[in-house]
Coordinates of all heavy atoms in Angstrom, one line a residue:
M435 N 18.6 122.0 -23.2 CA 18.5 123.3 -22.7 C 17.1 123.8 -23.1 O 16.7 123.7 -24.2 CB 19.7 124.2 -23.2 CG 21.0 123.7 -22.9 SD 21.3 123.7 -21.1 CE 22.7 122.7 -20.9
T436 N 16.6 124.6 -22.3 CA 15.3 125.3 -22.6 C 15.3 126.7 -22.7 O 14.3 127.4 -22.9 CB 14.2 124.8 -21.6 OG1 14.6 125.2 -20.3 CG2 14.0 123.3 -21.6
G437 N 16.4 127.4 -22.4 CA 16.4 128.8 -22.5 C 17.7 129.3 -21.9 O 18.7 128.6 -21.6
H438 N 17.7 130.7 -21.8 CA 19.0 131.3 -21.3 C 18.5 132.4 -20.4 O 17.6 133.1 -20.5 CB 19.8 132.0 -22.4 CG 20.4 131.0 -23.4 ND1 19.8 130.3 -24.4 CD2 21.7 130.6 -23.4 CE1 20.6 129.6 -25.0 NE2 21.7 129.6 -24.5
I439 N 19.3 132.5 -19.3 CA 19.2 133.7 -18.4 C 20.4 134.6 -18.8 O 21.3 134.1 -19.5 CB 19.2 133.3 -16.9 CG1 20.5 132.5 -16.5 CG2 18.0 132.5 -16.5 CD1 20.6 132.3 -15.1
L440 N 20.4 135.8 -18.3 CA 21.5 136.6 -18.5 C 22.3 137.0 -17.2 O 21.6 137.4 -16.3 CB 21.1 138.0 -19.1 CG 20.5 137.9 -20.5 CD1 19.8 139.3 -20.9 CD2 21.6 137.5 -21.5
W441 N 23.5 136.7 -17.1 CA 24.3 136.9 -15.9 C 25.3 138.0 -16.3 O 26.2 137.8 -17.1 CB 25.0 135.7 -15.4 CG 26.0 136.0 -14.3 CD1 27.3 136.0 -14.4 CD2 25.7 136.2 -12.9 NE1 27.9 136.3 -13.2 CE2 26.9 136.4 -12.2 CE3 24.5 136.4 -12.2 CZ2 26.9 136.7 -10.9 CZ3 24.5 136.6 -10.8 CH2 25.8 136.8 -10.2
N442 N 25.1 139.2 -15.9 CA 26.0 140.3 -16.3 C 26.1 140.4 -17.9 O 27.1 140.6 -18.4 CB 27.4 140.2 -15.7 CG 27.5 140.6 -14.3 OD1 26.6 141.3 -13.8 ND2 28.5 140.2 -13.6
D443 N 24.9 140.3 -18.4 CA 24.8 140.3 -19.9 C 25.4 139.1 -20.6 O 25.5 139.1 -21.8 CB 25.4 141.6 -20.5 CG 24.6 142.8 -20.0 OD1 23.3 142.7 -19.8 OD2 25.3 143.9 -19.8
R444 N 25.8 138.1 -19.9 CA 26.3 136.9 -20.5 C 25.2 135.8 -20.6 O 24.5 135.6 -19.5 CB 27.5 136.3 -19.6 CG 28.0 134.9 -20.0 CD 29.0 134.5 -19.0 NE 29.1 133.0 -19.1 CZ 29.9 132.3 -18.2 NH1 30.6 133.0 -17.3 NH2 30.0 131.0 -18.3
D445 N 25.0 135.2 -21.7 CA 24.0 134.1 -21.8 C 24.4 132.9 -21.0 O 25.5 132.4 -21.2 CB 23.9 133.7 -23.2 CG 23.0 134.7 -24.0 OD1 22.1 135.3 -23.4 OD2 23.0 134.7 -25.3
V446 N 23.5 132.4 -20.2 CA 23.7 131.2 -19.4 C 22.6 130.3 -19.7 O 21.4 130.6 -19.4 CB 23.8 131.5 -17.9 CG1 23.9 130.2 -17.1 CG2 25.0 132.4 -17.6
P447 N 22.8 129.1 -20.3 CA 21.7 128.2 -20.5 C 21.2 127.6 -19.3 O 21.9 127.4 -18.3 CB 22.3 127.1 -21.4 CG 23.8 127.2 -21.1 CD 24.1 128.6 -20.7
Y448 N 19.8 127.2 -19.3 CA 19.3 126.5 -18.2 C 18.4 125.3 -18.7 O 18.0 125.4 -19.9 CB 18.5 127.4 -17.2 CG 17.2 127.9 -17.9 CD1 16.0 127.2 -17.8 CD2 17.3 129.1 -18.5 CE1 14.9 127.7 -18.3 CE2 16.0 129.7 -19.1 CZ 14.9 129.0 -19.0 OH 13.7 129.4 -19.5
E449 N 18.1 124.4 -17.8 CA 17.2 123.3 -18.2 C 15.9 123.6 -17.4 O 16.0 124.2 -16.4 CB 17.8 121.9 -17.8 CG 19.1 121.7 -18.7 CD 19.6 120.3 -18.3 OE1 19.1 119.6 -17.6 OE2 20.7 120.1 -18.9
Q450 N 14.8 123.1 -18.0 CA 13.5 123.3 -17.3 C 13.6 122.8 -15.8 O 14.1 121.8 -15.6 CB 12.5 122.5 -18.1 CG 11.1 122.9 -17.6 CD 10.0 122.3 -18.4 OE1 10.3 121.6 -19.5 NE2 8.8 122.5 -18.1
G451 N 13.0 123.8 -14.9 CA 13.0 123.4 -13.6 C 14.2 123.8 -12.8 O 14.3 123.6 -11.6
E452 N 15.2 124.3 -13.4 CA 16.4 124.6 -12.6 C 16.3 126.0 -12.0 O 15.6 126.9 -12.5 CB 17.6 124.8 -13.6 CG 18.3 123.4 -13.9 CD 19.6 123.7 -14.6 OE1 19.8 124.6 -15.5 OE2 20.5 122.9 -14.4
T453 N 16.9 126.1 -10.9 CA 16.9 127.4 -10.2 C 18.1 128.2 -10.8 O 19.0 127.7 -11.5 CB 17.2 127.3 -8.6 OG1 18.5 126.7 -8.5 CG2 16.2 126.4 -8.0
L454 N 18.1 129.5 -10.5 CA 19.2 130.4 -11.0 C 20.5 129.8 -10.5 O 21.5 129.8 -11.1 CB 19.0 131.8 -10.4 CG 17.8 132.5 -10.8 CD1 17.7 133.9 -10.2 CD2 17.8 132.8 -12.3
A455 N 20.6 129.4 -9.2 CA 21.8 128.9 -8.6 C 22.3 127.6 -9.4 O 23.5 127.5 -9.6 CB 21.6 128.5 -7.1
Q456 N 21.4 126.7 -9.8 CA 21.8 125.6 -10.5 C 22.4 125.9 -11.8 O 23.4 125.3 -12.2 CB 20.6 124.6 -10.6 CG 20.3 123.9 -9.3 CD 18.9 123.2 -9.4 OE1 17.9 123.6 -10.0 NE2 18.8 122.0 -8.8
A457 N 21.7 126.8 -12.5 CA 22.1 127.1 -13.9 C 23.5 127.9 -13.8 O 24.4 127.5 -14.6 CB 21.1 128.0 -14.6
L458 N 23.7 128.8 -12.9 CA 24.9 129.5 -12.8 C 26.1 128.5 -12.4 O 27.1 128.6 -12.9 CB 24.8 130.6 -11.7 CG 23.8 131.8 -12.1 CD1 23.5 132.7 -10.9 CD2 24.4 132.6 -13.3
N459 N 25.8 127.6 -11.4 CA 26.8 126.7 -11.0 C 27.2 125.8 -12.2 O 28.4 125.6 -12.3 CB 26.3 125.9 -9.8 CG 27.4 125.0 -9.3 OD1 28.4 125.5 -8.8 ND2 27.1 123.6 -9.4
R460 N 26.3 125.3 -13.0 CA 26.7 124.5 -14.1 C 27.5 125.2 -15.1 O 28.4 124.6 -15.8 CB 25.4 123.9 -14.7 CG 25.6 122.8 -15.6 CD 24.4 121.9 -16.0 NE 23.2 122.6 -16.1 CZ 22.9 123.5 -17.1 NH1 23.7 123.6 -18.1 NH2 21.8 124.1 -17.1
A461 N 27.3 126.5 -15.2 CA 28.1 127.4 -16.1 C 29.5 127.8 -15.5 O 30.1 128.5 -16.2 CB 27.3 128.6 -16.4
G462 N 29.7 127.3 -14.3 CA 30.9 127.6 -13.7 C 31.0 128.9 -13.0 O 32.0 129.4 -12.6
I463 N 29.8 129.5 -12.8 CA 29.8 130.8 -12.1 C 29.4 130.5 -10.6 O 28.2 130.2 -10.3 CB 28.7 131.7 -12.7 CG1 29.1 132.0 -14.2 CG2 28.5 133.0 -12.0 CD1 28.0 132.6 -15.0
T464 N 30.4 130.6 -9.7 CA 30.1 130.3 -8.3 C 30.2 131.5 -7.5 O 29.7 131.5 -6.4 CB 31.1 129.3 -7.8 OG1 32.4 129.7 -8.1 CG2 30.9 127.9 -8.5
H465 N 30.8 132.6 -8.0 CA 30.8 133.8 -7.2 C 29.7 134.7 -7.5 O 29.5 135.1 -8.7 CB 32.2 134.6 -7.5 CG 32.2 136.0 -6.9 ND1 32.5 136.1 -5.6 CD2 31.9 137.2 -7.4 CE1 32.4 137.5 -5.3 NE2 32.0 138.1 -6.4
L466 N 28.7 134.7 -6.5 CA 27.4 135.4 -6.8 C 27.4 136.9 -6.3 O 26.4 137.6 -6.5 CB 26.2 134.6 -6.2 CG 26.2 133.1 -6.7 CD1 25.0 132.5 -6.0 CD2 26.1 133.1 -8.2
G467 N 28.5 137.3 -5.7 CA 28.4 138.6 -5.2 C 29.5 138.9 -4.0 O 30.2 137.9 -3.7
T468 N 29.5 140.1 -3.6 CA 30.4 140.4 -2.6 C 29.7 140.9 -1.3 O 28.9 141.8 -1.5 CB 31.5 141.4 -3.1 OG1 32.1 140.9 -4.2 CG2 32.5 141.8 -2.0
G469 N 30.0 140.3 -0.2 CA 29.4 140.7 1.1 C 29.9 142.1 1.6 O 30.9 142.6 1.0
L470 N 29.3 142.6 2.6 CA 29.7 143.9 3.1 C 31.1 144.0 3.7 O 31.8 144.9 3.5 CB 28.7 144.3 4.3 CG 27.3 144.7 3.8 CD1 26.4 144.9 5.0 CD2 27.2 145.8 2.8
A471 N 31.6 142.8 4.1 CA 33.0 142.7 4.6 C 34.0 142.4 3.5 O 35.1 142.1 3.8 CB 33.1 141.7 5.7
G472 N 33.5 142.3 2.3 CA 34.3 142.0 1.1 C 34.5 140.5 0.8 O 35.3 140.2 -0.1
Q473 N 33.7 139.7 1.5 CA 33.8 138.3 1.3 C 33.1 137.9 0.0 O 32.0 138.5 -0.3 CB 33.3 137.5 2.5 CG 31.8 137.4 2.6 CD 31.1 138.6 3.3 OE1 31.7 139.7 3.3 NE2 29.9 138.4 3.7
S474 N 33.5 136.8 -0.6 CA 32.8 136.3 -1.8 C 31.6 135.5 -1.3 O 31.7 134.8 -0.3 CB 33.8 135.4 -2.5 OG 33.1 134.7 -3.6
R475 N 30.5 135.6 -1.9 CA 29.2 135.0 -1.6 C 29.0 134.0 -2.7 O 29.1 134.2 -3.9 CB 28.1 135.9 -1.4 CG 28.3 136.8 -0.2 CD 27.0 137.7 0.1 NE 26.7 138.5 -1.1 CZ 25.8 138.1 -1.9 NH1 25.1 136.9 -1.8 NH2 25.4 138.9 -2.9
S476 N 28.4 132.8 -2.3 CA 28.0 131.7 -3.2 C 26.9 130.9 -2.5 O 26.5 131.2 -1.4 CB 29.3 130.9 -3.5 OG 29.8 130.3 -2.2
V477 N 26.5 129.9 -3.2 CA 25.5 129.0 -2.6 C 26.1 128.3 -1.4 O 27.2 127.8 -1.5 CB 25.0 128.0 -3.7 CG1 24.0 127.0 -3.1 CG2 24.3 128.7 -4.9
F478 N 25.4 128.3 -0.3 CA 25.8 127.6 0.8 C 24.7 126.6 1.3 O 24.9 125.4 1.2 CB 26.0 128.6 2.0 CG 26.5 128.0 3.3 CD1 27.8 127.4 3.4 CD2 25.7 128.0 4.4 CE1 28.2 126.8 4.5 CE2 26.1 127.4 5.5 CZ 27.3 126.8 5.6
C479 N 23.6 127.1 1.7 CA 22.6 126.1 2.3 C 21.8 125.4 1.1 O 21.3 124.3 1.1 CB 21.6 126.7 3.2 SG 20.4 127.9 2.5
G480 N 21.5 126.2 0.0 CA 20.7 125.7 -1.1 C 19.2 125.6 -0.8 O 18.5 125.1 -1.7
I481 N 18.7 126.0 0.3 CA 17.3 125.9 0.7 C 16.7 127.2 1.1 O 15.7 127.3 1.8 CB 17.1 124.8 1.8 CG1 17.9 125.2 3.0 CG2 17.5 123.4 1.2 CD1 17.6 124.2 4.2
G482 N 17.3 128.3 0.8 CA 16.7 129.6 1.1 C 16.8 130.1 2.6 O 16.0 131.0 2.9
Q483 N 17.7 129.6 3.3 CA 17.9 129.9 4.7 C 19.0 130.9 5.0 O 18.9 131.7 5.9 CB 18.0 128.7 5.6 CG 16.8 127.8 5.5 CD 15.6 128.4 6.0 OE1 15.5 129.0 7.1 NE2 14.5 128.5 5.2
C484 N 20.1 130.8 4.3 CA 21.3 131.6 4.6 C 21.4 133.0 4.0 O 22.1 133.8 4.4 CB 22.6 130.8 4.4 SG 22.9 130.5 2.7
Q485 N 20.8 133.2 2.8 CA 20.8 134.3 2.0 C 22.2 134.6 1.5 O 22.6 135.7 1.1 CB 20.3 135.5 2.7 CG 18.8 135.4 3.1 CD 18.1 136.7 3.3 OE1 18.7 137.6 3.9 NE2 16.8 136.7 3.0
N486 N 23.1 133.6 1.5 CA 24.4 133.8 0.9 C 24.4 133.8 -0.6 O 25.5 134.2 -1.2 CB 25.3 132.6 1.4 CG 26.8 133.1 1.5 OD1 27.1 134.1 2.0 ND2 27.7 132.3 1.0
C487 N 23.3 133.5 -1.2 CA 23.2 133.5 -2.7 C 22.5 134.6 -3.3 O 21.9 134.5 -4.3 CB 22.6 132.2 -3.1 SG 20.9 132.0 -2.6
L488 N 22.3 135.7 -2.5 CA 21.5 136.8 -3.0 C 22.1 137.3 -4.3 O 23.3 137.5 -4.4 CB 21.5 138.0 -2.0 CG 20.5 137.8 -0.8 CD1 20.6 139.0 0.1 CD2 19.1 137.6 -1.2
V489 N 21.2 137.6 -5.2 CA 21.5 138.2 -6.5 C 20.5 139.2 -6.8 O 19.4 139.3 -6.1 CB 21.6 137.1 -7.7 CG1 22.7 136.2 -7.5 CG2 20.2 136.4 -7.8
I490 N 20.7 140.1 -7.8 CA 19.7 141.1 -8.2 C 19.0 140.6 -9.3 O 19.6 140.4 -10.4 CB 20.4 142.4 -8.5 CG1 21.3 142.9 -7.3 CG2 19.5 143.5 -8.9 CD1 20.4 143.3 -6.1
L491 N 17.7 140.6 -9.3 CA 16.8 140.3 -10.4 C 16.4 141.6 -11.0 O 15.8 142.4 -10.4 CB 15.6 139.6 -10.1 CG 15.6 138.0 -9.8 CD1 14.3 137.5 -9.5 CD2 16.3 137.4 -11.0
E492 N 16.7 141.8 -12.3 CA 16.3 143.0 -12.9 C 14.8 143.3 -12.8 O 14.0 142.4 -13.0 CB 16.6 143.0 -14.5 CG 16.3 144.3 -15.2 CD 16.8 144.1 -16.6 OE1 16.0 143.7 -17.4 OE2 18.0 144.5 -16.9
G493 N 14.4 144.5 -12.2 CA 13.1 144.9 -12.1 C 12.4 144.4 -10.8 O 11.3 144.8 -10.5
K494 N 13.2 143.5 -10.1 CA 12.6 143.0 -8.8 C 13.5 143.3 -7.5 O 13.0 143.4 -6.5 CB 12.3 141.5 -8.9 CG 11.2 141.3 -9.9 CD 10.7 139.8 -9.8 CE 9.5 139.6 -10.7 NZ 8.9 138.3 -10.5
G495 N 14.8 143.4 -7.8 CA 15.7 143.5 -6.6 C 16.3 142.3 -6.1 O 16.4 141.3 -6.9
P496 N 16.8 142.2 -4.9 CA 17.5 141.1 -4.3 C 16.6 139.9 -4.2 O 15.5 140.0 -3.8 CB 18.0 141.5 -3.0 CG 17.8 143.0 -3.0 CD 16.8 143.4 -3.9
C497 N 17.1 138.7 -4.5 CA 16.4 137.5 -4.2 C 17.4 136.3 -4.1 O 18.6 136.5 -4.4 CB 15.5 137.1 -5.4 SG 16.4 136.6 -6.9
E498 N 17.0 135.3 -3.5 CA 17.9 134.1 -3.3 C 17.9 133.3 -4.6 O 16.9 132.8 -5.0 CB 17.4 133.2 -2.1 CG 17.4 133.8 -0.8 CD 16.1 134.2 -0.3 OE1 15.1 134.2 -1.1 OE2 16.0 134.5 0.9
A499 N 19.1 133.1 -5.1 CA 19.3 132.4 -6.3 C 18.9 131.0 -6.3 O 18.5 130.3 -7.2 CB 20.7 132.5 -6.9
C500 N 19.0 130.4 -5.0 CA 18.6 129.0 -4.9 C 17.1 128.8 -4.8 O 16.7 127.6 -4.8 CB 19.3 128.4 -3.7 SG 18.6 129.1 -2.1
R501 N 16.4 129.8 -4.8 CA 14.9 129.6 -4.7 C 14.1 130.2 -5.9 O 12.9 130.0 -6.0 CB 14.4 130.4 -3.4 CG 15.0 129.8 -2.2 CD 14.2 130.3 -1.0 NE 12.9 129.9 -1.1 CZ 11.9 130.2 -0.1 NH1 12.3 131.0 0.9 NH2 10.7 129.8 -0.2
V502 N 14.8 130.8 -6.9 CA 14.1 131.3 -8.0 C 14.4 130.4 -9.3 O 15.5 130.1 -9.5 CB 14.7 132.7 -8.3 CG1 14.0 133.3 -9.5 CG2 14.3 133.7 -7.1
L503 N 13.3 130.1 -9.9 CA 13.5 129.2 -11.1 C 13.8 130.1 -12.3 O 13.4 131.3 -12.4 CB 12.0 128.5 -11.4 CG 11.6 127.5 -10.4 CD1 10.2 126.9 -10.7 CD2 12.7 126.3 -10.4
C504 N 14.6 129.5 -13.1 CA 15.0 130.2 -14.3 C 13.8 130.5 -15.3 O 12.9 129.7 -15.3 CB 16.1 129.5 -15.1 SG 17.6 129.2 -14.3
A505 N 13.9 131.6 -16.0 CA 12.9 131.9 -17.0 C 13.6 132.6 -18.2 O 14.7 133.3 -17.9 CB 11.9 132.9 -16.5
D506 N 13.2 132.3 -19.4 CA 14.0 132.8 -20.5 C 14.2 134.2 -20.5 O 13.2 135.0 -20.4 CB 13.3 132.3 -21.8 CG 14.3 132.2 -23.0 OD1 15.4 131.9 -22.7 OD2 13.9 132.5 -24.1
G507 N 15.4 134.7 -20.7 CA 15.7 136.1 -20.7 C 15.8 136.9 -19.4 O 16.0 138.0 -19.4
L508 N 15.6 136.1 -18.3 CA 15.7 136.7 -17.0 C 17.1 137.3 -16.8 O 18.1 136.6 -16.9 CB 15.4 135.7 -15.9 CG 15.1 136.1 -14.5 CD1 13.9 137.1 -14.4 CD2 14.9 135.0 -13.5
A509 N 17.2 138.6 -16.4 CA 18.4 139.3 -16.2 C 18.8 139.2 -14.8 O 18.0 139.7 -13.9 CB 18.4 140.7 -16.7
V510 N 20.0 138.7 -14.4 CA 20.5 138.6 -13.1 C 21.9 139.2 -12.9 O 22.7 139.0 -13.9 CB 20.5 137.1 -12.7 CG1 20.8 136.9 -11.2 CG2 19.2 136.4 -13.0
S511 N 22.1 139.8 -11.8 CA 23.5 140.4 -11.6 C 23.9 140.2 -10.2 O 23.0 139.9 -9.3 CB 23.5 141.8 -12.0 OG 22.6 142.5 -11.2
P512 N 25.2 140.2 -9.9 CA 25.6 140.1 -8.5 C 25.4 141.2 -7.7 O 25.2 142.3 -8.1 CB 27.2 139.8 -8.7 CG 27.5 140.5 -10.0 CD 26.3 140.4 -10.8
V513 N 25.3 141.0 -6.4 CA 25.2 142.0 -5.4 C 26.6 142.4 -5.0 O 27.5 141.6 -4.8 CB 24.5 141.6 -4.1 CG1 24.5 142.7 -3.1 CG2 23.1 141.2 -4.4
G514 N 26.9 143.7 -5.1 CA 28.3 144.1 -4.7 C 29.2 144.1 -6.0 O 28.7 144.2 -7.1
T515 N 30.5 143.9 -5.8 CA 31.5 144.0 -6.9 C 31.5 142.8 -7.6 O 31.9 141.7 -7.1 CB 32.9 144.4 -6.4 OG1 32.7 145.6 -5.7 CG2 33.8 144.6 -7.6
P516 N 31.2 142.7 -9.0 CA 31.4 141.4 -9.7 C 32.8 141.0 -9.8 O 33.6 141.7 -10.0 CB 30.7 141.7 -11.0 CG 30.9 143.2 -11.2 CD 30.8 143.8 -9.8
H517 N 32.9 139.7 -9.8 CA 34.2 138.9 -10.0 C 34.2 138.2 -11.2 O 35.2 137.7 -11.7 CB 34.7 138.1 -8.9 CG 35.0 139.0 -7.6 ND1 35.8 138.5 -6.7 CD2 34.6 140.2 -7.3 CE1 35.9 139.4 -5.7 NE2 35.2 140.4 -6.0
D518 N 33.0 137.7 -11.7 CA 32.9 136.9 -12.9 C 32.8 137.7 -14.2 O 32.2 138.7 -14.2 CB 31.7 136.0 -12.7 CG 31.9 135.0 -11.6 OD1 33.0 134.4 -11.5 OD2 31.0 134.7 -10.8
Ligands
FES702 S1 22.2 129.3 -0.6 FE1 21.3 129.8 1.3 S2 19.6 131.0 0.8 FE2 20.4 130.3 -1.1

């Protein structure tokens, strides 16, 4: 492990080169937010095309978890109502 990101203030370890989606998934966090229709959102395409993995990056706003590399201390939270 090379660091930790924060998911709703929970430490989540990551390995160098991992995306947010990879680190969250390895930690068992698959629910990344709630869509406008109340549906659970998670990683779907994994290549930045579907935007089903949108999360909120502290200080930056929404981004695709499958496209952002982890950085130590990066704070991330779900879009919509959290379930995790
Ligand atoms: S999983 Fe489709 S954009 Fe991230």
Side-chain angles (χ1 to χ4, degrees):
M435 300 297 166
T436 60
H438 291 81
I439 59 172
L440 293 171
W441 173 254
N442 281 341
D443 296 326
R444 169 183 161 189
D445 278 338
V446 174
Y448 69 88
E449 296 179 9
Q450 187 170 1
E452 277 190 326
T453 63
L454 298 173
Q456 289 170 316
L458 292 169
N459 186 60
R460 193 161 38 73
I463 300 167
T464 57
H465 173 80
L466 301 181
T468 302
L470 293 176
Q473 78 279 18
S474 179
R475 292 186 307 93
S476 59
V477 174
F478 181 68
C479 72
I481 58 171
Q483 296 300 306
C484 72
Q485 298 199 327
N486 207 47
C487 66
L488 283 180
V489 294
I490 302 294
L491 277 186
E492 185 177 84
K494 292 194 174 183
C497 71
E498 293 108 346
C500 70
R501 297 193 62 180
V502 176
L503 292 176
C504 293
D506 203 33
L508 191 63
V510 186
S511 59
V513 175
T515 306
H517 291 204
D518 291 316

